[in-house]
Amino acid sequence: MAVVLGNDDVSAALAELPGWSGDSGGIERSVTAPSFLDGIRLVAEVAHVAEAADHHPEIDIRWRTLTFRLFTHSVGGVTEKDLALARQINELIG
């Protein structure tokens, strides 16, 4: 079973994850894509990575603005799985 990270651990990890904010309850990052279609392509890329990891973010799409929210639903907080997926999302964002 995954272990929920404490606020200090999440804060330390976020210092190395540009664009992300949050606490032990969840982390999120918003980005603005150059166009609506570019945003949808990014969502599709994130979906493939998330599916491979069997760990799925909440994604909010508002025209060109995408917000990714991560927390491990089964334990009710941020775990290493969330941090790993955040790193992968950052790589896709570039």
Side-chain angles (χ1 to χ4, degrees):
M1 178 177 231
V3 175
V4 175
L5 301 174
N7 283 328
D8 291 342
D9 293 327
V10 172
S11 291
L14 291 177
E16 298 178 15
L17 283 167
W20 290 86
S21 62
D23 57 28
S24 63
I27 60 174
E28 71 177 44
R29 178 174 182 183
S30 294
V31 295
T32 301
S35 71
F36 178 73
L37 288 177
D38 288 328
I40 296 302
R41 279 190 278 277
L42 177 58
V43 167
E45 291 173 1
V46 169
H48 286 286
V49 169
E51 191 66 15
D54 192 28
H55 193 63
H56 305 92
E58 293 181 354
I59 304 172
D60 183 65
I61 304 168
R62 306 288 169 126
W63 185 38
R64 298 182 312 132
T65 302
L66 312 171
T67 302
F68 301 97
R69 290 183 191 88
L70 299 171
F71 65 96
T72 302
H73 294 83
S74 62
V75 295
V78 175
T79 67
E80 288 295 335
K81 288 183 85 168
D82 301 296
L83 299 177
L85 185 54
R87 287 183 199 98
Q88 290 181 297
I89 291 171
N90 273 7
E91 288 177 18
L92 293 171
I93 292 169

